[in-house]
């Protein structure tokens, strides 16, 4: 691939992050794989590359002649499953996700088309105040996708997607707490004191009649596209887990609350729960379950911060532990979805 302009590299808040991009043989192999993927689709690279390096991914924006850019992504070993999962989702639920141009599941590499406008950009570009109900339809569609994936849960696990199943969450919690180096003694004591209640929440949620399936675990407004009015596609599955599906509600609900205020939460909750209604479940039961999952979803967020490239320097590794600790401490807070009695 002959180009005149040098690559533009963005390291964000991690100037010392160690990624495979620094190794010339790896870089040449990866870009050769990209070139072969482009050729297979009759495409040709043009212009400079934009490279984003983080402790958890290598992402390269590649300009292509005559069409929108394409994206190369490389995951660390702990999230290498994303490539195979992305390809499988494009077969199982094609209306909700991107169809990759190429995938190397063994190496955790993906070549993806551009997905159109980010939902975040749509929100930011709205004339006047953004619509406080804007998250409702994306959440309905995301829940519909989760329901459609229920028959594939076993296959999702076989792809290497980490397990955070509801019945096993107390053990996951124990490992996350015991292995965290950033928790202060007071926080550590509080979390260990919470353990009996947490086990009860897990037991109750596991008995709520909603099977574990795919949880995106980080569904913020930069993780979905809005290519046209009323249609949304979901991407970036590196933090995913097989967990209670309602755990996915935590991140978008928190983000919507920060942007629009807490009064939007009841409508967003009920929009997300609409596809789960029926089969004898009452709205009260579903609302109780999503409140439990709001709290327990913090465990999946905490664990996902361990999926970094090997050799990540102490500063980035410490940041991961600090973020993990912050999410673990969220377990101590009452969810802002009020019921008649606290958890």
């Amino acid at each position: 691939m002959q180009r005149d302009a040098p690559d533009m590299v963005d390291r964000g808040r991690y100037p010392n992050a160690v990624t495979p991009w620094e190794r010339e043989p790896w870089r040449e192999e990866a870009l050769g794989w990209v070139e072969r993927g482009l050729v297979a689709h009759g495409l040709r690279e043009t212009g400079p590359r934009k490279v984003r390096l983080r402790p958890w991914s290598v992402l390269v924006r590649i300009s292509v002649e005559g069409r929108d850019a394409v994206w190369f992504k490389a995951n660390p070993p702990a999230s290498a499953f994303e490539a195979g999962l992305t390809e499988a989702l494009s077969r199982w639920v094609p209306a909700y996700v991107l169809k990759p141009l190429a995938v190397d599941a063994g190496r955790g590499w993906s070549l993806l088309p551009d997905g159109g406008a980010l939902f975040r950009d749509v929100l930011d570009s709205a004339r006047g105040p953004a619509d406080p109900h804007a998250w409702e339809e994306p959440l309905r569609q995301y829940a519909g996708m989760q329901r459609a994936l229920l028959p594939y849960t076993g296959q999702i696990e076989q792809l290497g997607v980490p397990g955070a199943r509801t019945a096993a969450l107390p053990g996951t919690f124990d490992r996350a707490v015991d292995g965290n180096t950033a928790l202060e003694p007071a926080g550590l004591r509080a979390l260990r004191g919470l353990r009996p209640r947490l086990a009860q929440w897990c037991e109750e949620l596991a008995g709520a009649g909603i099977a574990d399936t795919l949880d995106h675990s980080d569904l913020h407004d930069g993780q979905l596209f809005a290519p046209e009015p009323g249609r949304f596609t979901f991407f970036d599955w590196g933090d995913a887990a097989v967990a209670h599906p309602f755990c996915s509600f935590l991140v978008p609900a928190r983000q919507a609350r920060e942007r629009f205020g807490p009064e939007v939460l009841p409508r967003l909750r009920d929009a997300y729960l609409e596809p789960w209604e029926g089969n004898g479940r009452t709205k009260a039961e579903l609302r109780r379950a999503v409140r439990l999952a709001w709290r327990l979803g913090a465990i999946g967020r905490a664990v996902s911060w361990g999926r970094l490239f090997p050799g990540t320097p102490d500063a980035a590794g410490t940041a991961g532990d600090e973020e993990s600790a912050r999410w673990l401490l969220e377990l101590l807070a009452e969810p802002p979805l009020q019921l008649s009695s606290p958890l």
Side-chain angles (χ1 to χ4, degrees), residues 115-120 122-123 138 224-233 235:
L118 280 176
F119 184 53
R120 171 183 298 162
V122 171
L123 291 175
L224 65 154
F225 295 112
E228 57 189 57
R231 187 168 75 85
F232 303 92
T233 53
F235 71 102

Side-chain angles (χ1 to χ4, degrees), residues 145-163:
M145 181 191 68
Q146 286 184 299
R147 288 208 63 173
L149 287 170
L150 284 169
Y152 301 102
T153 299
Q155 295 177 62
I156 292 171
E157 286 181 312
Q158 290 171 10
L159 291 169
V161 178

Side-chain angles (χ1 to χ4, degrees), residues 67 89 123 192 202 229 241 245 273 282:
R67 61 169 287 167
L89 292 176
L123 291 175
R192 287 176 173 162
C202 293
L273 291 175
T282 67

Side-chain angles (χ1 to χ4, degrees), residues 89-108:
L89 292 176
S90 73
R91 290 185 281 108
W92 296 335
V93 286
Y96 298 100
V97 297
L98 297 174
K99 180 177 177 59
L101 300 171
V103 160
D104 187 323
R107 292 189 285 193

Side-chain angles (χ1 to χ4, degrees), residues 17-266:
V18 176
T19 75
W21 185 261
E22 285 78 34
R23 304 198 303 268
E24 186 174 354
W26 184 94
R27 192 167 61 247
E28 290 180 353
E29 187 175 5
L31 293 174
W33 180 82
V34 167
E35 182 174 22
R36 292 190 294 276
L38 293 175
V39 169
H41 291 273
L43 303 175
R44 187 173 73 87
E45 180 182 5
T46 61
R49 304 184 189 109
K50 295 182 179 179
V51 183
R52 196 194 76 161
L53 303 180
R54 299 292 186 268
W56 53 85
S57 70
V58 171
L59 188 66
V60 184
R61 183 186 185 275
I62 299 166
S63 300
V64 175
E65 187 176 47
R67 61 169 287 167
D68 292 332
V70 301
W71 301 82
F72 167 72
K73 184 172 186 179
N75 291 79
S79 63
F81 64 83
E82 183 180 0
L85 176 62
T86 299
E87 190 279 329
L89 292 176
S90 73
R91 290 185 281 108
W92 296 335
V93 286
Y96 298 100
V97 297
L98 297 174
K99 180 177 177 59
L101 300 171
V103 160
D104 187 323
R107 292 189 285 193
W109 293 353
S110 305
L111 187 64
L112 298 161
D114 189 85
L118 280 176
F119 184 53
R120 171 183 298 162
D121 295 338
V122 171
L123 291 175
D124 290 343
S125 66
R127 294 182 179 178
D131 182 359
H133 309 308
W135 265 107
E136 292 178 22
E137 186 56 28
L139 285 170
R140 282 191 198 94
Q141 292 187 24
Y142 175 76
M145 181 191 68
Q146 286 184 299
R147 288 208 63 173
L149 287 170
L150 284 169
Y152 301 102
T153 299
Q155 295 177 62
I156 292 171
E157 286 181 312
Q158 290 171 10
L159 291 169
V161 178
R165 284 186 175 269
T166 311
L169 270 184
T172 305
F173 166 82
D174 291 340
R175 291 187 292 275
V177 170
D178 293 344
N180 190 284
T181 62
L183 285 168
E184 299 289 341
L188 195 59
R189 286 193 300 272
L191 288 169
R192 287 176 173 162
L194 186 71
R195 175 58 159 76
R197 291 176 65 200
L198 183 140
Q200 293 173 356
W201 299 334
C202 293
E203 183 177 356
E204 181 180 351
L205 186 58
I210 305 288
D212 293 333
T213 189
L214 187 64
D215 167 22
H216 185 286
S217 189
D218 193 25
L219 190 63
H220 59 70
D221 58 13
Q223 307 281 46
L224 65 154
F225 295 112
E228 57 189 57
R231 187 168 75 85
F232 303 92
T233 53
F234 307 95
F235 71 102
D236 202 345
W237 299 94
D239 289 339
V242 173
H244 196 285
F246 290 8
C247 291
S248 290
F249 184 69
L250 170 64
V251 169
R254 282 169 56 97
Q255 193 171 72
R257 179 184 60 174
E258 290 171 6
R259 183 166 191 144
F260 300 114
E263 60 274 11
V264 305
L265 291 180

